[in-house]
Amino acid sequence: MTNRYRATTRPDELPSDPEDSLLNLFDQTNQDINLFNMVDDEIIKLSGSKFYFYKYYQSDDYDEVYMESRNKPISKDPIVVHGHYEPLAMSEDLTQFGIELTNDQLFTFNKSYIERKLGRSVIPGDVLKPAFQNQRYEIFEVVEDSFEAYGVYHLVCSAKLLRDSSDVQDEPITKITDELGGYAGE
């Protein structure tokens, strides 16, 4: 018995069938495999932010010259969802080509949660508005990030600030603020 733990002894042979392996810790047919996904969903809800999600409806209106859809049909009624992102300060850099806005954001959602809330997956063209900011972001790229052994899947969405939104354009620029943060003259 004392010989078994010496460095000169050979280790036991591992089973050749992967189903019988001692290293197979995560049984994909187990009902509890979704436990990690539910915990991840709860963590994002508790530590993340609330967003207003405006669905983009794809249409046949596509400009071949500019390779974009000029009049994008966006849902008027938002869907309230929870996700995670790190707000960045808006930066407008002056380059040789003029002022460039470099304010791309990354938004992270639990895949099963967001698909359940939307009734479909997130697609480029969807619009997000954080509940505590008056800024809208248009999603231009969606990447799936996964922890397959745990059964957890995230959707990481890259989005750009939507500057030509109607609520941004309709804001009068003649309003000025007083020292206390309110609008002068109101």
Side-chain angles (χ1 to χ4, degrees):
M1 193 68 168
T2 59
N3 237 358
R4 181 176 170 93
Y5 297 107
R6 288 192 182 168
T8 57
T9 60
R10 305 195 91 204
D12 294 336
E13 291 292 323
L14 292 174
S16 59
D17 186 13
E19 295 295 323
D20 296 333
S21 173
L22 298 174
L23 300 175
N24 187 7
L25 300 176
F26 302 101
D27 181 12
Q28 295 296 324
T29 60
N30 188 355
Q31 296 298 322
D32 290 335
I33 194 71
N34 199 28
L35 175 68
F36 292 112
N37 191 36
M38 293 187 315
V39 169
D40 178 66
D41 178 29
E42 189 70 22
I43 288 172
I44 288 179
K45 284 181 185 175
L46 292 174
S47 67
S49 300
K50 185 172 24 170
F51 299 103
Y52 298 112
F53 196 98
Y54 298 89
K55 287 172 134 181
Y56 164 64
Y57 299 108
Q58 294 179 344
S59 67
D60 296 331
D61 180 29
Y62 186 75
D63 191 352
E64 294 292 332
V65 176
Y66 295 107
M67 297 174 43
E68 67 179 359
S69 179
R70 299 301 281 172
N71 297 321
K72 295 182 178 179
I74 303 289
S75 172
K76 299 281 186 208
D77 299 323
I79 300 170
V80 178
V81 297
H82 290 85
H84 183 266
Y85 84 117
E86 295 180 25
L88 301 173
M90 189 182 317
S91 67
E92 294 179 349
D93 301 325
L94 181 60
T95 65
Q96 67 266 24
F97 302 111
I99 297 177
E100 290 184 3
L101 181 68
T102 56
N103 196 23
D104 292 348
Q105 289 280 344
L106 290 177
F107 297 92
T108 304
F109 300 100
N110 182 284
K111 183 180 178 186
S112 59
Y113 165 76
I114 197 74
E115 287 178 350
R116 188 172 57 247
K117 289 288 279 190
L118 299 179
R120 63 165 172 81
S121 187
V122 179
I123 59 172
D126 288 336
V127 176
L128 288 169
K129 180 180 181 283
F132 66 92
Q133 285 181 324
N134 193 19
Q135 296 176 343
R136 291 180 183 226
Y137 295 92
E138 181 180 2
I139 296 172
F140 64 86
E141 182 181 28
V142 180
V143 178
E144 183 176 302
D145 184 23
S146 65
F147 303 99
E148 292 180 16
Y150 299 107
V152 175
Y153 297 94
H154 288 158
L155 290 180
V156 180
C157 305
S158 300
K160 63 182 177 188
L161 185 63
L162 192 61
R163 304 266 319 223
D164 57 352
S165 177
S166 61
D167 58 346
V168 173
Q169 288 181 350
D170 292 341
E171 183 72 27
I173 59 172
T174 57
K175 287 186 177 181
I176 57 171
T177 61
D178 62 4
E179 296 117 24
L180 298 176
Y183 287 108
E186 287 186 1

